[in-house]
């Protein structure tokens, strides 16, 4: 469903992506791991076309991501941004139903609201949260509203940037199960970025480790513990000593 071929992206002299190759088969769950600041979020934004790569090719369902109808392209995606990116001026339910209230996916407001409340329930939030504003929620609740928005339009392809960061262990478990369910029951293709190793094990079919601008290792999650890759081993163990330097 998604293929990156030799993707490069620099910001000034900060050469973040240095030839990323990655393939995500349809209906599978890929988890990207890697140190802070290595370019995971940048890679994800490149696929969505929010950041333009300097060179390389990105294909979504066989189509060059840079050509074609942007609206139709984006309508296939659901996205949870790392920082939440909720609209402060809209109540929770209008945030969740954002895409159902406008454009090609538009529905009557009462239907959109019902869907929003159903999706909020899926992420462990009660209906009374629907009429609050984002600033009235805790950080973890905002994160879950972002998740509910990502799945609101039942997208074919879902990107989650740090879905469990800031959540308690039980709520992290709920979200991991939800992501797994979206892939196995709805057949969606998922790409998740996380530092949470329990989340990796719960949701990944395949894992890819980004370091120094390239995918250092990729393989099925079942092979992650015996990867033989020093970067992966250090990342899993959380060891301060190893090929990944602590100062970046
Ligand atoms: N729009 C931008 N303009 C300039 N530099 C950017 C931009 N976006 C990202 N960067 C730089 O690209 C590098 C990678 O950032 P990115 O957000 O992809 O890291 P990350 O791997 O997602 O890290 P984290 O795990 O902390 O979220 C960083 O050095 C960052 O400063
Ligand atoms: Mg990031």
């Amino acid at each position: 469903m998604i293929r990156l071929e030799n993707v490069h992206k620099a910001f000034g002299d900060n050469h973040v992506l240095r030839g990323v190759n990655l393939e995500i088969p349809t209906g599978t769950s890929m988890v990207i791991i890697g140190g802070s600041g290595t370019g995971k979020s940048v890679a994800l934004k490149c696929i969505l076309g929010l950041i333009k790569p300097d060179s390389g090719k990105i294909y979504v369902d066989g189509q060059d991501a840079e050509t074609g109808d942007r609206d139709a392209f984006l309508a296939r995606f659901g996205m949870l941004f790392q920082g939440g990116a909720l609209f402060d001026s809209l109540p929770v339910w209008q945030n969740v139903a954002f895409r159902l209230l406008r454009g090609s996916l538009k529905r009557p407001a009462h239907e959109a609201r019902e869907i929003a409340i159903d999706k909020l329930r899926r992420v462990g939030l009660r209906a009374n949260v629907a009429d609050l504003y984002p600033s009235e929620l805790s950080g973890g609740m905002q994160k879950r509203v972002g998740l509910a928005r990502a799945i609101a339009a039942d997208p074919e392809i879902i990107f989650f940037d740090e879905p469990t960061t800031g959540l308690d262990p039980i709520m992290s478990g709920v979200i991991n199960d939800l992501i797994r369910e979206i892939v196995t029951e709805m057949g969606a293709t998922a790409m998740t970025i996380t530092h949470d190793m329990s989340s990796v094990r719960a949701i990944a079919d395949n894992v890819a480790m980004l370091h120094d601008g390239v995918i250092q290792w990729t393989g099925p999650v079942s092979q992650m513990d015996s990867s033989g890759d020093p970067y992966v081993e250090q990342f899993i163990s959380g060891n301060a000593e190893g090929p990944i330097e602590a100062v970046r």
Side-chain angles (χ1 to χ4, degrees):
M1 182 61 91
I2 295 171
R3 197 162 80 236
L4 282 77
E5 288 178 1
N6 202 21
V7 171
H8 285 256
K9 179 68 198 178
F11 298 100
D13 57 7
N14 184 11
H15 203 164
V16 180
L17 305 181
R18 306 178 183 206
V20 171
N21 292 294
L22 186 70
E23 215 168 299
I24 311 180
T26 305
T28 66
S29 168
M30 168 67 83
V31 173
I32 311 290
I33 57 173
S36 184
T38 51
K40 303 181 299 296
S41 296
V42 168
L44 192 151
K45 287 175 187 169
C46 283
I47 299 172
L48 284 173
L50 301 177
I51 290 178
K52 195 175 151 27
D54 298 328
S55 63
K57 282 283 169 202
I58 298 173
Y59 298 95
V60 175
D61 207 5
Q63 245 203 326
D64 189 328
E66 279 184 51
T67 61
D69 179 348
R70 282 295 292 162
D71 286 346
F73 177 80
L74 288 174
R76 303 179 69 177
F77 286 90
M79 170 77 209
L80 168 69
F81 289 96
Q82 186 168 8
L86 299 176
F87 300 103
D88 300 337
S89 59
L90 297 178
V92 163
W93 81 268
Q94 287 182 29
N95 265 281
V96 174
F98 193 81
R99 303 180 70 179
L100 304 173
L101 292 167
R102 44 184 68 67
S104 59
L105 301 172
K106 190 172 163 132
R107 294 160 188 255
H110 71 274
E111 253 180 55
R113 185 182 160 91
E114 270 169 35
I115 294 170
I117 287 171
D118 177 56
K119 300 297 179 184
L120 286 168
R121 200 176 301 118
R122 300 283 304 270
V123 299
L125 291 170
R126 288 183 215 286
N128 61 7
V129 168
D131 295 310
L132 300 178
Y133 283 84
S135 62
E136 298 175 290
L137 306 178
S138 74
M141 290 164 83
Q142 290 176 11
K143 176 73 87 181
R144 286 185 277 153
V145 171
L147 260 165
R149 181 175 64 186
I151 62 172
D154 296 326
E156 281 174 78
I157 308 165
I158 311 204
F159 288 172
F160 300 107
D161 199 347
E162 303 281 359
T164 59
T165 305
L167 302 185
D168 69 61
I170 297 167
M171 200 43 71
S172 294
V174 169
I175 297 307
N176 289 339
D177 290 350
L178 174 69
I179 294 174
R180 200 56 248 175
E181 203 177 293
I182 289 167
V183 173
T184 39
E185 285 172 27
M186 290 159 64
T189 305
M191 175 167 156
T192 307
I193 295 169
T194 185
H195 295 126
D196 176 350
M197 291 312 293
S198 62
S199 199
V200 176
R201 294 177 199 286
I203 66 185
D205 291 312
N206 297 298
V207 180
M209 164 107 201
L210 183 65
H211 186 74
D212 281 345
V214 296
I215 301 295
Q216 297 284 346
W217 180 86
T218 183
V221 66
S222 57
Q223 287 172 20
M224 185 175 64
D225 289 316
S226 54
S227 69
D229 182 274
Y231 295 94
V232 174
E233 283 173 358
Q234 187 188 354
F235 198 84
I236 296 173
S237 66
N239 199 332
E241 304 292 323
I244 304 175
E245 289 179 33
V247 180
R248 290 188 284 273

